[in-house]
Amino acid sequence: MLRLASLAVLTMTLFLAGCGGAKNPVSEVIFQDAYRLKGAENMEFHFTKDSSLYVWHTGIYELGENEDGKPIVRICLDDTKRELPEDYNFTEYLVTEEKGAVLLTLSTEEFDLESKPMELYLLNGEHGLLENSNFDGTYQIGHDGDSYQYIFQKDGSIAMQITERYFADKTQMTLIDHAGSANYLYEATDDMLVLKNKDGEPVLTLLKITKD
């Protein structure tokens, strides 16, 4: 559970801790490569020549009911290629519906958080979170644009997709989404991209994905 929580915190810290209201400068340096997060095969970063950045954090999900017969979804964002099934860490949410939104309320016993439910809005595919079988459907997370999405598939896989803009000069990179922006120092080599904080400490080490 600690590893799952730390990856989730890492993702949200990186992409939600912006200053807000950022404008889109013209990127001086263009990246057109795909990377994976070092130590996490299930997190990929895809940079495109139009200054877009797409991040995928993949895992698996299960639908079911709790002891009261209410629908739940259990999401595991572990690297399932590396972990054994008995080591998977699921986070459980109670699923309800209100005013056109699907609400996911954290109900995993290991957590005791007083937080608002996560609001999901169907973008395309099946509206299957209140059912008890796997489905193909994409939900927007929250109201503010399409920056964060959950993509469910019938094979039991799930991806959290984050859509960003990136803007870089020779030494600094800014990542921007609907919530704001975050600035990093960076170093790039032929096979690696390292994002650092203002003190020069590595925040993310990304390894280039080579084509077979």
Side-chain angles (χ1 to χ4, degrees):
M1 183 59 67
L2 178 60
R3 178 162 34 79
L4 172 62
S6 65
L7 281 176
V9 169
L10 168 65
T11 303
M12 292 307 176
T13 298
L14 177 63
F15 297 105
L16 285 178
C19 60
K23 295 183 179 180
N24 292 349
V26 176
S27 184
E28 297 177 10
V29 178
I30 298 297
F31 291 84
Q32 300 183 58
D33 297 300
Y35 298 83
R36 65 173 178 84
L37 180 65
K38 183 178 181 180
E41 295 281 348
N42 63 327
M43 287 194 73
E44 294 188 2
F45 295 67
H46 293 243
F47 293 82
T48 67
K49 63 182 179 181
D50 67 351
S51 291
S52 294
L53 168 60
Y54 301 95
V55 182
W56 282 279
H57 191 178
T58 58
I60 56 178
Y61 75 98
E62 298 177 351
L63 296 174
E65 295 181 346
N66 62 14
E67 296 179 352
D68 298 323
K70 296 180 180 179
I72 59 171
V73 60
R74 303 174 70 233
I75 296 174
C76 170
L77 295 178
D78 281 348
D79 183 354
T80 56
K81 293 181 179 179
R82 182 182 62 194
E83 304 297 332
L84 297 173
E86 57 266 27
D87 295 328
Y88 293 168
N89 293 296
F90 284 90
T91 302
E92 183 179 292
Y93 300 91
L94 177 67
V95 184
T96 57
E97 190 171 19
E98 181 179 312
K99 298 180 180 179
V102 174
L103 305 181
L104 300 187
T105 302
L106 193 62
S107 60
T108 305
E109 292 181 357
E110 287 84 351
F111 288 91
D112 183 17
L113 301 178
E114 295 181 0
S115 59
K116 293 182 180 180
M118 188 187 311
E119 295 183 14
L120 304 185
Y121 297 87
L122 185 67
L123 289 178
N124 56 65
E126 301 172 75
H127 189 24
L129 272 174
L130 289 167
E131 305 299 330
N132 200 13
S133 60
N134 293 353
F135 66 102
D136 292 322
T138 299
Y139 288 87
Q140 176 180 311
I141 304 174
H143 291 280
D144 299 316
D146 296 343
S147 294
Y148 309 94
Q149 298 176 5
Y150 270 139
I151 302 172
F152 295 85
Q153 296 187 339
K154 281 186 177 180
D155 64 2
S157 63
I158 185 174
M160 182 173 70
Q161 178 181 290
I162 303 170
T163 303
E164 298 281 319
R165 299 283 294 174
Y166 75 89
F167 300 92
D169 59 22
K170 293 182 179 180
T171 60
Q172 298 187 58
M173 180 179 294
T174 301
L175 302 181
I176 301 173
D177 66 9
H178 72 271
S181 66
N183 299 315
Y184 301 92
L185 301 173
Y186 79 91
E187 291 185 4
T189 66
D190 290 340
D191 56 4
M192 186 181 300
L193 174 64
V194 181
L195 299 185
K196 303 179 178 181
N197 61 23
K198 63 181 181 179
D199 296 320
E201 301 168 333
V203 176
L204 290 178
T205 299
L206 306 180
L207 305 178
K208 187 177 294 185
I209 299 172
T210 57
K211 298 180 180 179
D212 296 331

